[in-house]
Amino acid sequence: MNVSKTQDGNSVTLLVQGRVDTMTAPQLESEIQALEGAESLTIDLKDLEYISSAGLRVLLSAHKAYSKKGGLTIANPNDSVMEIFEVTGFKEILNIK
């Protein structure tokens, strides 16, 4: 997994590439927790191949943290990742564009 960050004022976008699974989810969680001063967060999944339950937990945690701020947006999930969001009910919880 690779994560790249862009920041525009208080808005941060993380581009997540590869796979978020049991081995890589802690890295994504650390990247999110290290964001200082961010009021809103966009996680761009256009290059994400796979997300496991460990990755979903990280997204849920980020959703809870950023719902108290400017919000969390999940952008560009591919069809297979979107199917995981639908099956798990995350489609109803997360703000997905």
Side-chain angles (χ1 to χ4, degrees):
M1 180 191 72
N2 185 41
V3 178
S4 56
K5 176 179 89 167
T6 56
Q7 187 162 355
D8 182 16
N10 291 337
S11 298
V12 174
T13 299
L14 295 180
L15 175 63
V16 182
Q17 300 170 304
R19 298 172 57 91
V20 179
D21 54 25
T22 305
M23 299 300 292
T24 58
Q27 177 189 347
L28 179 58
E29 188 169 38
S30 293
E31 295 271 355
I32 293 169
Q33 290 175 349
L35 299 174
E36 294 191 20
E39 288 297 316
S40 64
L41 175 61
T42 299
I43 301 178
D44 190 337
L45 302 180
K46 70 180 179 183
D47 295 326
L48 185 72
E49 299 165 8
Y50 171 79
I51 188 165
S52 73
S53 60
L56 292 175
R57 183 189 55 77
V58 171
L59 294 183
L60 185 59
S61 177
H63 169 73
K64 288 179 181 177
Y66 279 87
S67 67
K68 300 171 187 166
K69 299 179 182 184
L72 170 70
T73 301
I74 304 298
N76 306 312
N78 65 31
D79 290 342
S80 62
V81 171
M82 193 63 193
E83 185 177 342
I84 292 168
F85 289 156
E86 290 171 358
V87 169
T88 59
F90 273 62
K91 183 180 177 188
E92 308 306 319
I93 298 169
L94 300 175
N95 176 22
I96 302 172
K97 288 186 176 182

